[in-house]
């Protein structure tokens, strides 16, 4: 099964948007046993898109188009592909009702061009969009076509909820393809691959595919087997070999089970609460917690204390201590965490203080970060030296804080 992915949008060619959809789809398709042979990007140009479709169907069994399904005149994907396939565009009734409901709820006028978003191929399968308005389409022919919306927040849920089950049924292989995703924090991709080099070199079935993500690494194990029990046994055998070498960095399974979700789950399970006092991260840790549904049961609130003055006033820290040791110090981090925990009345508190950059602070280079964890029985702290830009330093600090808390929670289990 040969597939190719065509991203449509001039903004991608101009570098205004990063084509993360291709990465996501390639990983997902590999897990389904569908090999992606080509990636391409086409601007909002009717003639060039038509040429790309002609080329694609000569060499691929499945052509996936991302983007260009919106309401404006430069959203050409659906029109060009329909014309290419000789398909009439018809209005999908469920999509239309969803469109009406959206504009009524938003109390906005629906302009006629929005109806373009709910047009589908007469002989195609309409794919609902649970997080947006532009519907997707699957068309089965000599070459199969899949049309997906461009925004990742729409494309990914649509693929996982509707396309993936469809493909699993349609493109059945000899035997079943079953995947298991392992997630690691605290080790880089190059180091992880080095430690697993012989396992990766000798892989056959299951296969071992490492992927680098911001501040973490995932490994997708994929096995092909006739029976579920056999597949799971083979996956478990390979996983055991991997864990024997890099298990200390492992934190969870699955594509969507992120580090913050694992931490919040542990807090709920142990009926523990967390607060935070943030300086350089300026609330990013607390915002990350807030992304998890139901976090209010373990997170009552926290503190953002960017300046020396707010550290003193909000957290009741002695200014003499801050003036003596500075804000980028073990002492500052520990008293921030300890006082935050006591003021919020929580079981744990994390504090973040340091230099996000680009300039140094208090003689400390950019990327210097102190993180402290306060518990009812102790306060511990650790210094980090992160690299790259300001945003990356702040994100790295949040991930490090989450891992500190995760390890503490596991020790107490």
């Amino acid at each position: 099964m040969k597939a190719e992915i065509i991203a449509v949008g001039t903004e991608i060619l101009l570098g205004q948007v990063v084509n993360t959809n291709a990465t996501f789809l390639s990983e997902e398709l590999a897990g389904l046993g569908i090999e992606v042979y080509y990636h391409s990007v086409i601007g909002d140009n009717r003639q060039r898109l038509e040429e790309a479709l002609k080329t694609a169907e000569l060499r691929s069994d499945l052509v996936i188009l991302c983007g260009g399904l919106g309401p404006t005149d430069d959203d050409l994907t659906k029109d060009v592909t329909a014309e290419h396939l000789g398909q009439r565009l018809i209005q999908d009734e469920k999509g239309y009702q969803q469109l009406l409901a959206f504009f009524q709820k938003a109390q906005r006028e629906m302009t006629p061009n929005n109806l373009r978003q709910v047009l589908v191929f007469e002989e195609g399968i309409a794919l609902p969009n649970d997080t947006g308005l532009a519907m997707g389409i699957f068309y089965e022919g000599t070459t199969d076509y899949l049309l997906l919306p461009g925004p990742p927040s729409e494309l990914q849920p649509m693929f996982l909820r509707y396309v993936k089950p469809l493909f699993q049924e349609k493109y059945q292989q000899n035997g079943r393809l079953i995947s298991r995703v392992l997630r690691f924090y605290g080790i880089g991709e190059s180091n992880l691959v080095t430690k697993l080099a012989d396992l990766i070199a000798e892989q056959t079935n299951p296969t071992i595919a490492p992927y680098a993500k911001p501040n973490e690494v995932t490994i997708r194990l994929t096995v092909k087997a006739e029976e579920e029990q056999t597949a799971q046994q083979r996956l478990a055998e390979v996983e055991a070999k991997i864990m024997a070498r890099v298990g200390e960095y492992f934190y969870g399974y699955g594509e969507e089970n992120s580090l913050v979700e694992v931490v919040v789950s542990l807090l709920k399970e142990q009926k523990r609460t967390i607060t935070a006092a943030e300086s350089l991260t300026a609330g990013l840790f607390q915002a990350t917690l807030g992304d998890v549904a139901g976090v209010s049961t373990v997170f009552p609130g926290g503190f953002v204390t960017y300046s020396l003055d707010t550290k003193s006033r909000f957290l009741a820290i002695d200014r003499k201590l801050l003036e003596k040791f500075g804000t980028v110090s073990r002492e500052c981090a520990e008293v921030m965490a300890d006082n935050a925990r006591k003021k919020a009345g929580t079981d744990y508190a994390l504090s973040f203080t340091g230099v996000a950059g680009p300039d140094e602070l208090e003689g400390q280079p950019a990327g210097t970060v102190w993180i402290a964890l306060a518990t009812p029985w102790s306060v511990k702290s650790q210094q980090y030296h992160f690299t790259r830009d300001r945003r990356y330093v702040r994100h790295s600090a949040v991930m490090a804080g989450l891992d500190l808390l995760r390890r503490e929670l596991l020790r107490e289990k």
Side-chain angles (χ1 to χ4, degrees):
M1 187 73 192
K2 298 179 182 178
E4 69 178 271
I5 299 168
I6 302 174
V8 183
T10 302
E11 66 277 8
I12 302 174
L13 292 174
L14 294 175
Q16 297 169 346
V17 174
V18 179
N19 186 15
T20 57
N21 289 333
T23 303
F24 167 80
L25 290 170
S26 291
E27 290 183 13
E28 287 295 330
L29 291 168
L32 295 170
I34 300 171
E35 297 183 77
V36 177
Y37 279 59
Y38 305 97
H39 285 182
S40 58
V41 179
I42 307 297
D44 300 313
N45 182 280
R46 182 177 292 270
Q47 181 180 346
R48 287 195 289 272
L49 180 54
E50 171 63 26
E51 291 172 357
L53 295 179
K54 289 178 180 178
T55 300
E57 68 181 12
L58 292 175
R59 63 190 184 188
S60 300
D61 306 303
L62 170 66
V63 179
I64 300 176
L65 295 111
C66 310
L69 304 184
T72 61
D73 289 339
D74 62 352
D75 289 313
L76 303 170
T77 303
K78 197 182 303 181
D79 293 337
V80 173
T81 309
E83 185 177 328
H84 176 77
L85 296 172
Q87 281 292 302
R88 190 166 70 94
L89 289 170
I90 61 172
Q91 183 172 286
D92 181 80
E93 186 58 30
K94 288 184 179 179
Y96 175 66
Q97 293 302 324
Q98 180 183 346
L99 191 69
L100 288 179
F102 170 81
F103 280 97
Q104 288 172 357
K105 185 176 180 179
Q107 297 183 343
R108 289 165 46 191
E109 178 187 357
M110 187 181 78
T111 54
N113 60 350
N114 277 286
L115 294 174
R116 290 163 56 99
Q117 298 183 92
V118 295
L119 294 177
V120 297
F121 297 168
E122 186 174 26
E123 297 178 322
I125 297 174
L127 303 171
N129 189 336
D130 295 340
T131 54
L133 299 176
M135 301 192 68
I137 306 169
F138 176 70
Y139 174 80
E140 189 173 356
T142 306
T143 298
D144 295 343
Y145 283 82
L146 174 65
L147 280 63
L148 297 170
S153 61
E154 299 178 29
L155 179 145
Q156 293 184 18
M158 183 182 291
F159 186 91
L160 294 173
R161 294 171 193 171
Y162 302 108
V163 179
K164 194 170 183 177
L166 179 66
F167 281 9
Q168 286 172 329
E169 180 180 349
K170 173 174 171 51
Y171 302 128
Q172 288 185 1
Q173 310 289 326
N174 293 325
R176 302 181 60 183
L177 278 171
I178 298 176
S179 293
R180 182 180 299 179
V181 176
L182 315 179
R183 303 187 71 149
F184 300 85
Y185 172 80
I187 184 171
E189 183 186 25
S190 59
N191 192 6
L192 182 140
V193 168
T194 299
K195 291 180 182 296
L196 304 178
D198 59 316
L199 297 179
I200 294 172
E202 296 166 4
Q203 64 177 316
T204 51
N205 186 31
T207 57
I208 304 171
Y211 302 98
K213 299 190 174 183
N215 279 301
E216 65 175 297
V217 184
T218 65
I219 292 178
R220 181 189 291 274
L221 305 178
T222 303
V223 65
K224 187 176 183 180
E226 295 293 336
E227 298 179 354
E228 170 85 18
Q229 185 176 356
T230 302
Q232 295 297 344
Q233 182 179 344
R234 289 181 184 174
L235 289 174
E237 290 170 357
V238 176
E239 180 183 333
K241 293 178 182 179
I242 292 171
M243 290 302 190
R245 303 186 190 187
V246 292
E248 65 181 294
Y249 304 104
F250 170 80
Y251 76 79
Y253 295 95
E255 290 287 5
E256 300 180 1
N257 215 12
S258 64
L259 184 54
V260 67
E261 289 170 317
V262 169
V263 169
V264 170
S265 179
L266 285 170
L267 287 166
K268 289 180 178 179
E269 180 185 320
Q270 298 182 28
K271 295 181 170 56
R272 300 302 178 95
T273 53
I274 179 70
T275 188
E278 301 186 62
S279 184
L280 85 153
T281 44
L284 183 60
F285 174 79
Q286 294 169 74
T288 302
L289 287 178
D291 286 336
V292 182
V295 74
S296 59
T297 60
V298 297
F299 171 58
F303 308 85
V304 176
T305 56
Y306 214 66
S307 69
L308 184 147
D309 184 58
T310 53
K311 287 179 176 66
S312 176
R313 289 193 295 116
F314 294 178
L315 296 170
I317 301 174
D318 189 342
R319 290 183 68 95
K320 292 181 180 178
L321 180 145
L322 296 175
E323 291 166 357
K324 178 179 179 181
F325 296 104
T327 58
V328 189
S329 65
R330 178 192 300 275
E331 292 77 9
C332 178
E334 291 186 353
V335 74
M336 283 175 67
D338 197 34
N339 286 12
R341 191 190 71 81
K342 291 171 181 174
K343 280 186 168 292
T346 55
D347 298 300
Y348 301 103
L350 278 166
S351 68
F352 303 83
T353 186
V355 193
D359 302 320
E360 66 175 34
L361 178 67
E362 298 176 358
Q364 300 291 329
T368 303
V369 177
W370 280 97
I371 302 176
L373 173 63
T375 72
W377 44 86
S378 69
V379 181
K380 60 186 74 174
S381 57
Q382 188 167 332
Q383 187 183 48
Y384 300 83
H385 295 281
F386 300 120
T387 57
R388 304 187 194 178
D389 60 21
R390 180 181 180 85
R391 179 178 297 181
Y392 188 83
V393 168
R394 295 172 68 237
H395 182 262
S396 299
V398 169
M399 291 289 285
L402 286 168
D403 193 58
L404 272 179
L405 180 57
R406 179 186 69 87
R407 290 175 182 272
E408 182 66 27
L409 289 164
L410 289 175
R411 272 193 290 270
E412 296 173 29
K413 265 187 117 176

